[in-house]
Amino acid sequence: VVGGQNQDAAVGTFGAPEGRGPVRQAERGLPDGDQGRDLPEPGTVRALQITAAMVKELREKTGSPMMDCKKALQEGGGDHDKALEWLRKKGMATAAKKESRRSADGLICAMVDASGKRGSVVEVNAETDFVARNPIFQDFVKNVCGLHLKAGPSVGLDAFKALMLPNGPQSKGEISVEAAVKEMVATVGENCQMRSCEGVEVSGEGAVFRYIHTPMGDDIGKVGVLVALESATTNKEAFNKLGVALAMHVAAGKPLYNVVADIPAAHVEKEKEIFMAQAQESGKPADIAEKMTVGRIKKWHDEVVLHEQEYLLGGEEKKTKVSKVLANAEKELGAPVKLTGFVRIKCGEKTGEA
């Protein structure tokens, strides 16, 4: 009997007194048939039991799988902070193993600051839509977007990963975006990637307009669009209506460039080579092939350049180029209006699986 309890009924791991190993049955004078097993030293106490409530509390705080939480508490001797540290260390170790797994799902977050003149869109990928619906993941993506909004649209992805968040999915103090993403891997058990961060702003009079397609909550969804419009108009209602409509067009039209002049020369030359090769392959003479190539380049502009695209929102502006829509809007606004830039990010598009 140990502490008033039968030895065979005792549950848990027992420790031997300091300086001694486990007591062998032979030392107790037990029958030969029962010798060979280590038994607890008389007077020792039962190890701390990891309760369901302890596991639940750690899981709610970290979002980590239940068995990982239980293991962490066992490794930490029931200490919550030690268990949290163990989970973080485990996350850093397992994140590298998960990096090779495809992460084409996740969320975008699009925000505009209080001035209405600056906006940011970020994309954080996960492997499944299940994680995208996890409140911990959603809050993290919003925090990341808020940081980029504060940093400014000129901050690129590599530099942004080094910026510091006030806390992470599991950290209580400052942590870099890159390290916080690794903590998220440990939290949700899937490969997560900081995929994109872009923004726009207007320097003078005007505003940045936002549109989120397939929203999954405030500021988050699957496609995020920002449009920057400059105008000194006093007709704010018509101006806001125009900005939102153009953002919706960008979501559907998928432009790559704002104006023709924005297309890199190398991209133009590549398209010309392809179109010329196609024309020559069809057996056309060189002069005809050249004319066909010029026509195809113009058609390509109509597809990839926002100002050259056919406006998609119908009504009286149907089959009208976006550039013409802007010109027509000036009459209602009573002032010039200029679309200076846009951002469109679709979740998973850069992975080739969107």
Side-chain angles (χ1 to χ4, degrees):
V1 176
V2 180
Q5 186 176 22
N6 186 286
Q7 290 176 353
D8 291 337
V11 179
T13 304
F14 293 79
E18 185 176 355
R20 293 193 59 185
V23 179
R24 307 291 294 185
Q25 289 183 353
E27 296 177 40
R28 306 270 183 86
L30 297 176
D32 291 343
D34 291 332
Q35 293 179 12
R37 293 189 294 114
D38 292 339
L39 289 179
E41 184 74 11
T44 58
V45 296
R46 173 193 312 257
L48 174 68
Q49 296 299 297
I50 305 302
T51 66
M54 294 167 65
V55 175
K56 181 175 182 291
E57 180 184 2
L58 186 60
R59 175 174 168 77
E60 288 177 349
K61 183 172 183 178
T62 65
S64 297
M66 190 168 294
M67 293 307 297
D68 284 351
C69 291
K70 182 177 180 180
K71 178 68 174 176
L73 287 164
Q74 290 172 339
E75 293 292 329
D79 185 279
H80 186 89
D81 290 338
K82 289 182 179 179
L84 186 61
E85 182 179 354
W86 185 89
L87 280 172
R88 290 186 61 196
K89 290 179 178 178
K90 178 178 182 295
M92 296 304 174
T94 58
K97 297 178 182 178
K98 297 178 186 292
E99 283 177 355
S100 62
R101 290 166 24 182
R102 297 299 296 271
S103 54
D105 213 296
L107 288 172
I108 62 89
C109 180
M111 293 180 174
V112 176
D113 71 2
S115 73
K117 296 179 180 294
R118 173 188 285 186
S120 287
V121 183
V122 302
E123 175 190 8
V124 183
N125 292 139
E127 295 177 51
T128 66
D129 184 63
F130 177 77
V131 166
R133 297 180 183 278
N134 184 324
I136 295 176
F137 183 81
Q138 293 181 349
D139 288 343
F140 175 69
V141 177
K142 292 179 185 179
N143 290 338
V144 168
C145 190
L147 179 64
H148 190 265
L149 184 64
K150 182 179 179 180
S154 63
V155 179
L157 183 60
D158 291 339
F160 180 64
K161 288 180 179 180
L163 296 186
M164 305 299 289
L165 287 162
N167 52 63
Q170 299 176 5
S171 298
K172 296 179 180 178
E174 282 194 335
I175 183 172
S176 71
V177 172
E178 185 171 25
V181 171
K182 290 184 178 180
E183 283 194 353
M184 184 55 67
V185 174
T187 299
V188 300
E190 289 189 6
N191 181 22
C192 299
Q193 297 288 332
M194 179 68 237
R195 186 76 61 185
S196 307
C197 59
E198 298 181 44
V200 293
E201 63 182 339
V202 293
S203 55
E205 294 182 280
V208 172
F209 297 93
R210 178 188 72 165
Y211 174 68
I212 297 175
H213 190 63
T214 317
M216 297 179 67
D218 292 341
D219 304 321
I220 53 177
K222 294 299 184 180
V223 180
V225 174
L226 298 173
V227 169
L229 286 181
E230 292 184 356
S231 179
T233 181
T234 57
N235 189 344
K236 299 303 181 183
E237 182 179 353
F239 185 59
N240 292 342
K241 183 178 179 181
L242 174 66
V244 172
L246 288 168
M248 293 174 69
H249 167 90
V250 170
K254 308 176 185 177
L256 301 179
Y257 306 102
N258 188 29
V259 294
V260 173
D262 291 339
I263 307 176
H267 195 179
V268 175
E269 289 304 314
K270 180 180 179 181
E271 294 300 317
K272 283 182 177 179
E273 289 179 10
I274 293 172
F275 293 147
M276 179 64 77
Q278 291 174 347
Q280 292 174 341
E281 185 69 21
S282 66
K284 303 295 183 182
D287 59 333
I288 300 298
E290 182 69 30
K291 291 179 180 179
M292 290 176 63
T293 298
V294 171
R296 290 187 177 183
I297 286 293
K298 186 178 183 304
K299 184 178 179 181
W300 175 62
H301 288 166
D302 294 343
E303 294 172 354
V304 302
V305 178
L306 176 56
H307 275 71
E308 304 301 316
Q309 285 184 334
E310 184 178 293
Y311 191 53
L312 298 177
L313 269 64
E316 295 181 0
E317 305 288 359
K318 193 172 184 180
K319 296 189 179 298
T320 302
K321 286 188 176 183
V322 170
S323 58
K324 183 64 174 177
V325 171
L326 290 166
N328 292 341
E330 293 182 357
K331 300 174 185 177
E332 182 179 7
L333 296 176
V337 59
K338 185 178 181 181
L339 199 167
T340 59
F342 72 91
V343 170
R344 179 188 182 276
I345 297 179
K346 181 178 180 180
C347 189
E349 195 164 58
K350 293 185 178 181
T351 68
E353 296 189 15

